[in-house]
Amino acid sequence: MTDWRASLGGDPLPWLLDESAPAVRHRALRELLDRPADDPDVVEAGAAAMSADPIAAILTAQDPEGWWIKPGGGYSPKYTGTVWSVIFLDQLGADGGDERVTKGCGYVLDHAQTPSGGFGYSGGAKVPPPSSVIHCLNGNLLRSLIGLGWLQDERVQRALAWQAGAITGEGHGRWYAAIPGPGLCCGVNEGLPCGWGAAKAVLGLARVPVGERSAATGRAIRQGVEFLLSVDPATAMYPMGWGNRRPNGSWFRLGFPSGYVADVLQVMEAVCEAGAGGDPRLEPAVEWLLAQQDAEGRWVNRYPYNGKLHIDIDRPGQPSRWVTLRACRVLKMVAETGAERRA
């Protein structure tokens, strides 16, 4: 039994590798067992995932032109519009080389990018204005488009530059109401730094391979991680606007898939993917996460978006392969980074 499984109540790996859930199996083979992309089991599971729900249901709902539900910016309706469909396809591990996925990504790039370079929220047919760019959406789309193979596209590079500049303030030409200043500030959070947005932004930037990160991207990642670890992530006591004194309860409801809301586990994902999984400030969050498992080493989906997606992914209140995969992946990254730090 590997170190990351030693603290679990049971071994969930056989359950995650079950062929009845090929999308979970595909990601578990890659992310928990470190199988290469050309491994026969990985190839087989990836192909099976593309022809099975939930991926198949999302692709079936796609228009031949590449959009979902209605043409245009794709932010609405939540969570079946074009923007969300692409984000969730990536989270499910869809094949970025599939023609339908490629068409969906291209449609997002053609219709959701603002003149500033960042991705903006718009449900209409017009190009979103720069004032509609927010950290959570830009980070989500960056992560998805990079994961689906679009890192080298000039439009993705522009969105990366926007994200880095919006965090550090370097080279950022203009601030708007939605993003009133650097340091992960958000107008939706009364101009204060936003924990949800920070998690998404760091996850987007950290998707760039280490050797391909610009100096500006590296600085933005480090600043984002410092913000996320400036408080105990298990408390989620990030700045709260509009008179709020207690964190939104969604922070503590681990779920899948992930829209603009973040949970404690997603902060851990962001910190780990940024290379800081061995930071001792993450230890209370690890303890919190372990306390959420059941006796068999599984986690429940407490934020499943049921009735809001193209197809329901999990049953509320039941152990979830997807949330368990998320938790196990973080525990594995923490164990590996901690071992490197001690070496």
Side-chain angles (χ1 to χ4, degrees):
M1 183 173 284
T2 58
D3 287 344
W4 66 267
R5 281 185 280 176
S7 56
L8 300 185
D11 184 5
L13 197 52
W15 183 56
L16 297 176
L17 294 173
D18 194 289
E19 294 182 356
S20 66
V24 178
R25 173 177 167 80
H26 176 240
R27 282 194 50 193
L29 287 167
R30 295 283 284 137
E31 298 166 14
L32 299 183
L33 297 185
D34 299 318
R35 298 277 190 90
D38 60 355
D39 178 274
D41 289 339
V42 171
V43 173
E44 181 181 8
M50 292 298 291
S51 59
D53 290 337
I55 292 176
I58 297 175
L59 292 175
T60 297
Q62 184 184 28
D63 185 87
E65 295 299 315
W67 46 266
W68 280 263
I69 307 300
K70 62 180 180 179
Y75 189 80
S76 65
K78 289 188 259 186
Y79 293 91
T80 52
T82 307
V83 159
W84 303 104
S85 296
V86 168
I87 289 170
F88 296 153
L89 283 170
D90 172 66
Q91 292 179 12
L92 291 163
D95 179 5
D98 183 275
E99 181 180 0
R100 297 162 296 178
V101 177
T102 298
K103 187 168 286 189
C105 291
Y107 194 92
V108 165
L109 286 165
D110 287 342
H111 294 83
Q113 189 162 41
T114 76
S116 71
F119 297 111
Y121 54 90
S122 173
K126 295 181 179 179
V127 172
S131 57
S132 66
V133 184
I134 47 178
H135 291 294
C136 55
L137 176 61
N138 195 72
N140 270 335
L141 280 176
L142 268 180
R143 179 172 180 78
S144 301
L145 291 166
I146 294 170
L148 294 170
W150 292 75
L151 174 59
Q152 302 307 324
D153 189 281
E154 180 271 338
R155 295 164 293 182
V156 173
Q157 291 294 315
R158 289 181 61 218
L160 277 169
W162 182 92
Q163 187 65 77
I167 293 173
T168 66
E170 301 170 11
H172 199 78
R174 187 175 179 183
W175 304 106
Y176 297 91
I179 302 295
L184 295 155
C185 295
C186 180
V188 181
N189 196 37
E190 202 178 9
L192 300 172
C194 177
W196 287 355
K200 311 294 183 179
V202 172
L203 280 168
L205 294 172
R207 201 72 181 270
V208 180
V210 174
E212 299 180 47
R213 293 175 188 171
S214 68
T217 293
R219 288 190 293 272
I221 290 173
R222 290 191 292 274
Q223 185 171 330
V225 168
E226 280 304 308
F227 171 71
L228 290 172
L229 293 178
S230 65
V231 303
D232 176 0
T235 69
M237 287 296 293
Y238 298 105
M240 291 167 271
W242 314 112
N244 291 300
R245 295 292 180 265
R246 299 165 71 177
N248 188 299
S250 299
W251 277 111
F252 309 105
R253 296 167 57 198
L254 302 185
F256 184 89
S258 179
Y260 67 85
V261 172
D263 55 30
V264 172
L265 179 53
Q266 191 161 66
V267 172
M268 301 173 71
E269 289 169 330
V271 170
C272 288
E273 290 196 26
D279 193 303
R281 291 174 290 180
L282 205 58
E283 291 174 4
V286 172
E287 293 301 316
W288 180 89
L289 177 64
L290 290 170
Q292 310 306 308
Q293 66 177 309
D294 66 14
E296 298 179 71
R298 306 178 185 189
W299 280 259
V300 171
N301 190 338
R302 303 188 188 281
Y303 204 117
Y305 291 88
N306 279 27
K308 299 179 181 180
L309 308 171
H310 291 287
I311 184 173
D312 289 347
I313 292 175
D314 274 329
R315 288 183 295 170
Q318 298 297 312
S320 163
R321 284 186 170 91
W322 286 108
V323 179
T324 301
L325 174 65
R326 291 183 62 207
C328 289
R329 181 169 172 267
V330 159
L331 293 172
K332 177 175 180 285
M333 288 191 286
V334 168
E336 292 173 345
T337 312
E340 291 173 3
R341 182 166 57 88
R342 292 188 297 271

